[in-house]
Amino acid sequence: MRTSFKRLFACCALLLAPNAWALNLFACEPEYAALAQELAPEARIFSATTALQDPHQIQARPSLIAQMRRADLAICAGAELEVGWLPMLQMKANNPKVRDGLPGMFYAAEQVDTLDRLDSVSRDMGDVHAEGNPHLHFSPQRLLRVAQVLTERLAQLDPTNAEHYRANFDDFSARWLTAIPVWEAKAAPLHGQAVIAYHSSFRYLFDWLGVEQAGDLEPKPGLPPSTAHLAGLLALTEQQTIMAVVHAGYQDRRGAQWLAQRAELPVVRLPFSTGQEGIDSLFALYDAVLEPLLAHVGE
Ligand SMILES: [Zn+2]
């Protein structure tokens, strides 16, 4: 008697709870899985990539296609970051919910002003992002704007739980807006520092904190560092004070090490996203990129 009563209670408690877990969310990159986790923690959230993979270069594997097929909402950076693999996934998954232009397909870059938009693109420019830099998750203000629009998208797709998503956004927003000035105060010594970095991966971080990227390890976007290009960067380090050579966790470190050794500079490897190395939230990610940079100020 007692057991069946307990069971009955369990059943009805389940019915009364918000059923937001009904949504299947497909994140192209872990930072958007982390954002989805803030807004819709009960949802089933899948990240197509990890922080240790290059989000420009992903294989449209069968496991990803299967996940895309069951998604109610796909959340991706956009601005052509996933142009090499997402259209293939969408086509093979054949899920009518996540077609471009429909509510189930969400591109973060479409919700904000991206940096470095190009009016025209030619092939000799390399693997550039014409719609601007898509690596916007290191811009705290842009990420907040993305969160706000994403909240309304969740509410649209799952109206029963609309107020639940909005309450989660308010909570995230409050914590995020409290954290921003703390990060800014902590990062103040980085203002005016110059680095050489790999790709424009940290463009928004540097823009936010007033760090100058004086050189890029890539001769052109998408091309690995060549010997001639590295020699040019070495010459640059003799003309300008450079704090460090910076690369993201997923990028090949050999070019950075070659240059750093010869120029006697530290190499700073920064995590590019959440989900690895104990970085379990966007807050932890921001902390984790500031610490190693601050360690080299004034060396
Ligand atoms: Zn890129």
Side-chain angles (χ1 to χ4, degrees):
M1 184 62 203
R2 220 173 182 175
T3 323
S4 64
F5 183 75
K6 260 190 198 163
R7 269 195 203 138
L8 185 73
F9 183 77
C11 125
C12 298
L14 207 66
L15 285 175
L16 289 171
N19 54 348
W21 57 75
L23 282 183
N24 277 314
L25 307 181
F26 179 103
C28 282
E29 293 83 22
E31 58 268 23
Y32 295 110
L35 190 59
Q37 184 67 36
E38 296 281 356
L39 303 174
E42 303 86 355
R44 194 182 155 278
I45 303 166
F46 172 79
S47 179
T49 57
T50 76
L52 296 177
Q53 286 177 294
D54 180 349
H56 307 82
Q57 314 275 354
I58 298 296
Q59 294 288 322
R61 300 191 311 276
S63 59
L64 295 188
I65 296 164
Q67 293 289 347
M68 189 65 147
R69 190 167 287 146
R70 65 196 293 188
D72 299 302
L73 171 63
I75 308 158
C76 301
E80 299 178 359
L81 173 62
E82 303 95 353
V83 74
W85 54 280
L86 184 59
M88 178 72 87
L89 270 188
Q90 286 170 301
M91 192 187 77
K92 292 204 168 170
N94 197 23
N95 174 354
K97 290 182 188 169
V98 294
R99 291 203 181 117
D100 281 4
L102 292 181
M105 187 65 240
F106 181 94
Y107 290 110
E110 286 181 0
Q111 321 306 331
V112 297
D113 286 327
T114 53
L115 294 173
D116 309 329
R117 281 174 176 270
L118 297 167
D119 290 333
S120 66
V121 174
S122 64
R123 281 206 162 182
D124 64 315
M125 293 166 83
D127 193 8
V128 293
H129 304 297
E131 291 172 34
N133 187 312
H135 310 296
L136 58 93
H137 61 291
F138 284 114
S139 166
Q141 295 296 349
R142 286 177 178 85
L143 199 62
L144 186 60
R145 170 72 188 146
V146 169
Q148 191 179 23
V149 186
L150 182 56
T151 300
E152 288 312 308
R153 190 65 64 88
L154 290 163
Q156 182 187 352
L157 292 170
D158 180 18
T160 317
N161 295 297
E163 289 315 310
H164 174 66
Y165 299 126
R166 289 183 186 126
N168 287 342
F169 170 75
D170 289 344
D171 178 60
F172 170 72
S173 171
R175 285 180 290 124
W176 196 247
L177 288 170
T178 304
I180 292 173
V182 177
W183 286 319
E184 286 175 348
K186 201 173 163 188
L190 294 171
H191 194 97
Q193 298 283 335
V195 296
I196 290 174
Y198 201 127
H199 190 64
S200 50
S201 300
F202 296 103
R203 176 74 171 92
Y204 291 90
L205 181 75
F206 296 157
D207 177 66
W208 171 40
L209 302 176
V211 174
E212 183 200 348
Q213 183 169 337
D216 192 327
L217 287 163
E218 292 182 319
K220 281 178 186 177
L223 291 182
S226 62
T227 315
H229 183 67
L230 288 171
L233 292 175
L234 184 58
L236 176 74
T237 64
E238 283 153 18
Q239 294 153 17
Q240 188 179 350
T241 306
I242 302 290
M243 181 183 83
V245 184
V246 177
H247 70 92
Y250 73 83
Q251 290 160 339
D252 191 330
R253 67 188 70 188
R254 285 173 295 181
Q257 280 170 340
W258 185 97
L259 179 63
Q261 256 169 23
R262 281 157 186 83
E264 295 181 8
L265 289 172
V267 175
V268 176
R269 176 185 182 275
L270 298 181
F272 196 55
S273 193
T274 53
Q276 299 278 328
E277 298 163 52
I279 300 168
D280 59 359
S281 70
L282 292 161
F283 295 87
L285 177 63
Y286 275 49
D287 288 335
V289 290
L290 292 185
E291 291 292 346
L293 286 171
L294 284 164
H296 295 290
V297 178
E299 269 192 7

